[in-house]
Amino acid sequence: MLRRKIDVFLKQWKNDTNHLPLIVYGARQVGKTTSILKFGQENYKKVIVINFIENPEYKTAFIDFSVNNIIKRLTYMNPNFSFIPNETLIFFDEIQSFMDVMTSLKFFAIDKKYDVICSGSALGINNNHISSISVGYQQEYIMYPLDFEEFLWAVGYGDDFIDILREKLCNLEPLDKLILSIINEKFDEYIILGGMPKIVSEYIKCKNFSKPYYLQKQLRKDYSNDIKQYVDDLDKSKVEKVYNNIALQLGKENHKFQFTKLGHGARFNSYFGCFEWLKSAGIVLVCNNVIDIRYPLPLYEEEDNFRAYYLDSGLFISFFDTDTNKQLRVENEFSAYKGALYENVVLSELYKSGFENIFFYRSKDSTIELDFLLQYNSEIIPIEVKTKKGKTLSLNTAINKFEEIKYSIKLSRQNIGYTNKIITLPYALTFLLKDFLNSNNYKKLINQ
């Protein structure tokens, strides 16, 4: 059983005397059901599980939304159900198959006899299908694939090890060479595997990449099938074409998504909805260019100039051909996709850490290219994902040109360091970046 960050959140949710019904969203196979069931079994006398895909007949229990009536009908339908007030967790799973259950949450919140958690794949969840949303009577939690910290837990590294990483980073002190070597090695494994729990668990079990590779291929097919099933108001072939084309476009030099590659006459306006659907489904991340580096960055966003990535690097890798996969798994060679893979993982880690407003910048004359721009605590922080040794010309130029930039971050395989307003970190520490930006040492640094 993998340790997940949602475990702590769920306990805090239960211990809050004013907690509301909880909805856990997330892409397919990120571990929602497993984590919720584990939490329920450890914290309640009774756990009632209603899966609306496996048992669609339970939908008829919701002909009205009186809690007493719902409970009564459920016990009629299944005499084995036992509802103990204040000791029962009701778990509604696969709610994308019955979104009207969301309307009942208001009534469960008012009744307060039972704790309720809903879970469903972000694929297919469409609020337009809900007869009434219980606004103000529910909490939400977005669950992602494992981040690198959770991956370290999975492969045997505990909190003491991670506390060392956090302390060194917040103090801008170099890591011990052995520790740096370990986290670089584990990060390479994480890039190849991604963070889907079943795939990581299989890797831990078999100690090689062969079975995880086939699971990644299957997940890719599953997502493709879900597109066919759940896309309602868009052209399904267009959504699937975008889904399949992102990996190819990330192999290009500047990684910008080019609509002309989708077919003759393809334009942004005819495909914009496809990206929005894939984003809301939890499959794709989109990072837009800004035409200027000024606060606030969203004012300078170019809607039709963006780079698209996969939320999970394992899904990205599943699109590679056989030779490229062999290079990755056998020869540990990232080939032409190296820059895109590292950018993909870094962006995913930033999202999982809770960063919002993430952009990139490419000047019109191409003299400055910044992989990512963070807007955080009223600051603009450029990030360069460095895959080759050499000077950081774009970072240096940007620091001198834009008043809004005080410091910048370079991610590489190198150790922690700081020089000329550039903070160098190993890629693997991206998951701790928010801790660093909130640390007293960083606040002292920017106030110098």
Side-chain angles (χ1 to χ4, degrees):
M1 187 71 70
L2 298 176
R3 176 184 173 190
R4 302 300 304 274
K5 291 184 177 178
I6 194 176
D7 300 341
V8 173
F9 173 84
L10 290 173
K11 289 179 181 178
Q12 292 172 341
W13 170 79
K14 185 179 189 301
N15 292 333
D16 181 353
T17 55
N18 296 315
H19 68 261
L20 298 170
L22 177 66
I23 305 169
V24 179
Y25 293 106
R28 172 195 277 269
Q29 296 186 28
V30 297
K32 302 180 295 296
T33 299
T34 300
S35 293
I36 294 168
L37 286 176
K38 175 176 176 286
F39 162 73
Q41 291 161 1
E42 292 176 349
N43 292 277
Y44 294 87
K45 288 185 178 179
K46 291 289 181 180
V47 180
I48 306 297
V49 181
I50 297 175
N51 184 308
F52 289 112
I53 288 182
E54 295 178 357
N55 301 107
E57 65 272 16
Y58 288 126
K59 297 175 184 180
T60 60
F62 296 83
I63 56 176
D64 66 58
F65 296 104
S66 161
V67 171
N68 288 336
N69 289 343
I70 292 171
I71 298 302
K72 188 183 297 183
R73 293 187 195 101
L74 288 173
T75 53
Y76 288 162
M77 299 173 74
N78 188 337
N80 293 320
F81 282 166
S82 176
F83 294 85
I84 304 173
N86 304 312
E87 296 288 349
T88 300
L89 172 67
I90 304 174
F91 176 26
F92 296 125
D93 201 7
E94 303 290 4
I95 62 169
Q96 74 275 4
S97 292
F98 184 56
M99 292 299 291
D100 278 348
V101 72
M102 303 260 289
T103 306
S104 70
L105 299 187
K106 174 181 178 179
F107 301 91
F108 278 105
I110 294 171
D111 185 72
K112 295 185 177 180
K113 291 191 185 74
Y114 311 102
D115 286 353
V116 177
I117 298 179
C118 298
S119 176
S121 170
L123 282 160
I125 290 181
N126 184 343
N127 287 344
N128 292 327
H129 296 168
I130 306 171
S131 58
S132 174
I133 302 174
S134 299
V135 177
Y137 293 95
Q138 64 193 44
Q139 294 174 248
E140 296 182 359
Y141 182 92
I142 300 176
M143 191 171 181
Y144 297 105
L146 278 74
D147 69 6
F148 186 60
E149 182 174 16
E150 291 172 312
F151 180 79
L152 287 175
W153 293 339
V155 295
Y157 294 91
D159 291 334
D160 290 345
F161 180 79
I162 292 168
D163 285 343
I164 292 171
L165 302 179
R166 181 179 291 106
E167 182 180 359
K168 290 291 188 180
L169 174 57
C170 290
N171 291 325
L172 281 181
E173 297 175 355
L175 296 168
D176 179 90
K177 289 184 179 180
L178 176 60
I179 292 179
L180 178 62
S181 174
I182 289 170
I183 63 170
N184 281 338
E185 177 187 341
K186 296 304 168 186
F187 197 71
D188 285 345
E189 293 175 10
Y190 178 64
I191 289 176
I192 295 172
L193 293 167
M196 292 299 185
K198 185 176 181 180
I199 292 169
V200 172
S201 295
E202 188 61 37
Y203 173 73
I204 293 169
K205 178 182 175 181
C206 67
K207 303 298 182 185
N208 65 65
F209 294 111
S210 298
K211 183 69 177 292
Y213 168 64
Y214 289 106
L215 292 175
Q216 288 170 336
K217 289 286 189 182
Q218 184 58 51
L219 180 63
R220 171 188 167 184
K221 293 178 183 177
D222 290 342
Y223 279 146
S224 184
N225 289 334
D226 284 335
I227 289 171
K228 295 181 178 71
Q229 179 179 353
Y230 290 114
V231 172
D232 289 332
D233 302 325
L234 297 167
D235 185 328
K236 298 182 183 192
S237 64
K238 284 186 176 181
V239 177
E240 191 165 18
K241 186 178 289 187
V242 168
Y243 168 67
N244 290 326
N245 208 260
I246 290 171
L248 295 174
Q249 300 227 20
L250 283 173
K252 307 299 181 182
E253 186 175 352
N254 67 8
H255 307 158
K256 176 186 174 182
F257 196 90
Q258 297 176 315
F259 291 92
T260 55
K261 303 296 183 182
L262 297 176
H264 179 71
R267 296 289 184 270
F268 168 77
N269 289 337
S270 60
Y271 280 90
F272 175 74
C274 302
F275 285 96
E276 290 300 303
W277 191 91
L278 289 166
K279 282 168 58 181
S280 65
I283 300 175
V284 167
L285 301 173
V286 172
C287 187
N288 289 71
N289 187 56
V290 288
I291 59 174
D292 200 356
I293 300 180
R294 295 185 186 180
Y295 188 88
L297 286 174
L299 289 180
Y300 304 95
E301 176 183 2
E302 285 187 295
E303 189 179 52
D304 60 348
N305 183 1
F306 60 86
R307 296 170 177 174
Y309 301 86
Y310 295 102
L311 177 65
D312 185 70
S313 62
L315 182 60
F316 182 7
I317 285 173
S318 73
F319 285 88
F320 292 179
D321 58 44
T322 303
D323 288 340
T324 305
N325 268 296
K326 181 181 177 182
Q327 286 181 315
L328 278 169
R329 299 167 196 280
V330 179
E331 302 167 18
N332 198 30
E333 173 57 53
F334 289 89
S335 67
Y337 286 96
K338 184 173 184 178
L341 270 170
Y342 277 89
E343 285 181 23
N344 201 125
V345 177
V346 167
L347 182 62
S348 178
E349 289 290 282
L350 293 173
Y351 268 95
K352 292 171 188 174
S353 299
F355 284 104
E356 299 175 343
N357 295 320
I358 306 172
F359 303 92
F360 76 96
Y361 176 77
R362 184 182 177 93
S363 61
K364 290 183 178 180
D365 60 4
S366 301
T367 56
I368 304 176
E369 183 169 349
L370 303 172
D371 295 322
F372 300 116
L373 288 169
L374 297 182
Q375 182 177 296
Y376 186 68
N377 286 342
S378 301
E379 295 176 56
I380 295 176
I381 305 165
I383 296 178
E384 181 168 351
V385 182
K386 195 77 173 173
T387 56
K388 298 179 181 178
K389 293 182 179 180
K391 296 181 179 180
T392 52
L393 298 178
S394 286
L395 286 183
N396 290 323
T397 304
I399 289 172
N400 293 326
K401 181 176 180 178
F402 298 102
E403 293 182 3
E404 301 273 6
I405 297 176
K406 307 301 180 185
Y407 293 89
S408 58
I409 293 170
K410 181 180 75 172
L411 297 173
S412 68
R413 298 180 70 86
Q414 296 176 9
N415 215 326
I416 298 170
Y418 169 70
T419 182
N420 297 329
K421 298 187 177 182
I422 297 176
I423 300 159
T424 301
L425 309 176
Y427 310 110
L429 298 190
T430 304
F431 77 94
L432 292 171
L433 185 55
K434 185 170 280 191
D435 288 347
F436 170 63
L437 296 178
N438 289 330
S439 68
N440 290 328
N441 274 349
Y442 179 73
K443 292 173 184 176
K444 290 178 183 176
L445 186 68
I446 63 174
N447 290 322
Q448 287 179 357

